[in-house]
Amino acid sequence: MPIEDYKIERAQAEDAVAMLKLWQGIPGLGLGQGDDEEALRIFIKRNPSTCLVIRDKGSLIGTVLAGFDGRRGYIYHLAVHQDYQGRGYGKALLNRAMKELQALGAMKIHLFVLRDNPAAAAFYRQQGWQTRHDIQVFSWDAGR
Ligand SMILES: CC(C)(COP(=O)(O)OP(=O)(O)OC[C@H]1O[C@@H](n2cnc3c(N)ncnc32)[C@H](O)[C@@H]1OP(=O)(O)O)[C@@H](O)C(=O)NCCC(=O)NCCS
């Protein structure tokens, strides 16, 4: 699909299963708690304008899940099918998610990149994002 033909759409709760299938085939994407169909459906419904997809002939080829918590925006699972990487889809999804988050009032946006995914870190740096050295991430896992 030529880049000029793509259309970014809002994700639908019904996309959850296809999203999981897409992500499972993309190396580098860290899947974890919250990456099951029910949790994804809830996230998409709570964040209708900031969960976005690109399709080619009906199949998902790119996703981004973003959410605004009233203070900060967060971006998760920016992912492009391996056969479609390097054609501008990732950048387009990221920029649109940022625009939609800003429209909701998120002036600052955070995202997490696993340390064993230097390619994603390089991509975000190339897009002008800054690595934070002044913050440690702490997590509480109620399910452990
Ligand atoms: C990271 C990812 C979303 C990028 O999407 P993409 O469609 O391949 O990237 P694009 O074609 O939109 O690239 C946009 C720009 O970033 C640059 N870029 C892409 N990958 C890069 C990398 N690994 N390092 C540095 N720059 C990179 C491109 O050269 C392009 O530059 P330009 O704007 O000057 O032309 C995609 O590679 C992917 O799905 N990776 C696996 C999943 C993943 O790790 N996601 C992030 C989870 S935190």
Side-chain angles (χ1 to χ4, degrees):
M1 177 174 58
I3 182 76
E4 62 270 18
D5 287 349
Y6 79 89
K7 193 168 108 214
I8 296 177
E9 298 170 19
R10 288 185 173 193
Q12 304 299 313
E14 294 68 36
D15 289 322
V17 170
M19 279 181 176
L20 286 166
K21 202 167 158 237
L22 174 70
W23 298 337
Q24 280 155 5
I26 300 180
L29 207 66
L31 296 183
Q33 212 176 52
D35 292 319
D36 61 73
E37 185 184 345
E38 187 51 29
L40 279 173
R41 284 175 163 270
I42 292 168
F43 191 86
I44 292 165
K45 283 184 186 163
R46 282 177 67 141
N47 301 284
S49 65
T50 52
C51 292
L52 305 165
V53 296
I54 296 179
R55 298 174 209 275
D56 187 18
K57 299 184 191 81
S59 298
L60 287 192
I61 59 142
T63 64
V64 62
L65 299 185
F68 179 49
D69 65 10
R71 178 175 167 83
R72 301 289 187 238
Y74 288 89
I75 289 180
Y76 309 96
H77 290 4
L78 175 68
V80 174
H81 187 291
Q82 272 189 302
D83 295 348
Y84 294 80
Q85 289 179 10
R87 302 194 208 169
Y89 298 122
K91 180 178 175 175
L93 281 163
L94 179 64
N95 286 341
R96 174 72 178 277
M98 289 164 65
K99 196 172 140 207
E100 298 292 347
L101 284 170
Q102 283 172 51
L104 295 175
M107 296 311 293
K108 199 172 247 188
I109 303 170
H110 300 303
L111 56 82
F112 305 98
V113 176
L114 293 172
R115 286 203 194 278
D116 63 1
N117 191 359
F123 166 80
Y124 286 117
R125 258 182 236 114
Q126 203 265 359
Q127 295 302 308
W129 286 64
Q130 299 193 336
T131 311
R132 296 290 293 259
H133 297 288
D134 56 335
I135 294 180
Q136 298 180 66
V137 176
F138 286 73
S139 302
W140 176 265
D141 185 347
R144 75 190 157 166

